[in-house]
Amino acid sequence: MFTDNRLIRSWKKDRETLKTLSPRQKLGFIFDYYRGLFFLAFVLLLLLFYIGDMVWQSHRVIDLQGFFINDRQNLFPAGELIRDFSSYYGAPNGHRIAFEDSLYVDLDSGSEYHAASQGKIVAYTAARELDFLVAPKELALYYAETFPLYDLELLLADNPDLLSLVQNHLISTQDGTGAKKACCLELEASRFLQDPAYDGTDSYCLLVLSYTPHTQAMVSFLRYAYGLPPELSPRQ
């Protein structure tokens, strides 16, 4: 009760003070006096937005999920690629493409951000939620020896036009299972590295995780990457 009476008296005092001020002074007084409450309200609204977005996204089917790692030249802008490839692929309502380009990994660095990025890659792979990743060649070859990967010649066996384009850019190596296969694709001939901003410093490679059920979407992404028309076969 005492607290309620104090709040009422404080509010009445503030109201009397406001009556003596000009409109501009009133705004300044309200902002200075209640800025803490405004900040808390903003944080609360932001939190509600994120929660709502997570709930909404959880009800949508992911057709393809990929990570672009160490993209320092913005060669793989995730937002643009999502919009462009979604249109190319023809993702139905309730489905979405999920790409991320904000991960940076340096295996020799003690940086918390590098460690967090590496942790996310490992976690998504362990949970079998990641379909593919793109990384600079040295890092890609490290992942190739760590993760179970798709044999890209097998993945593209029914797409001879695409396979002929990438055949000379496939790298055969042992994957995380110890089996030697064509599991690493250098992307130097893809649309991504034709960007005038590309300085040729890093050679980027693509790896496809062996457990992915989204093989048709994966093939469609590769056709998109090499400027081929979409497949006409029905989606699986």
Side-chain angles (χ1 to χ4, degrees), residues 6-93:
R6 186 171 61 181
L7 289 173
I8 292 172
R9 288 198 301 271
S10 178
W11 167 245
K12 288 182 177 179
K13 183 179 178 180
D14 292 344
R15 189 171 59 180
E16 292 301 320
T17 301
L18 285 170
K19 289 180 180 179
T20 65
L21 302 177
S22 68
R24 184 174 180 179
Q25 290 173 325
K26 287 178 182 179
L27 290 175
F29 177 85
I30 291 172
F31 177 77
D32 289 337
Y33 199 78
Y34 295 103
R35 71 173 67 186
L37 291 177
F38 290 149
F39 178 74
L40 288 175
F42 173 75
V43 170
L44 180 60
L45 288 173
L46 197 61
L47 181 61
L48 291 173
F49 170 79
Y50 283 135
I51 292 174
D53 185 63
M54 287 173 62
V55 171
W56 180 65
Q57 295 289 4
S58 69
H59 289 85
R60 304 181 72 195
V61 177
I62 295 178
D63 282 349
L64 191 66
Q65 182 146 273
F67 289 166
F68 301 95
I69 305 165
N70 294 3
D71 181 19
R72 295 184 174 87
Q73 292 186 256
N74 198 34
L75 302 172
F76 309 95
E80 293 180 23
L81 289 182
I82 288 171
R83 289 190 295 272
D84 200 24
F85 178 63
S86 293
S87 176
Y88 172 94
Y89 178 64
N93 291 334

Side-chain angles (χ1 to χ4, degrees), residues 91-115:
N93 291 334
H95 291 233
R96 69 186 180 100
I97 304 299
F99 295 156
E100 184 169 347
D101 60 0
S102 62
L103 302 176
Y104 290 86
V105 174
D106 182 344
L107 298 176
D108 297 322
S109 170
S111 163
E112 292 182 359
Y113 190 86
H114 290 169

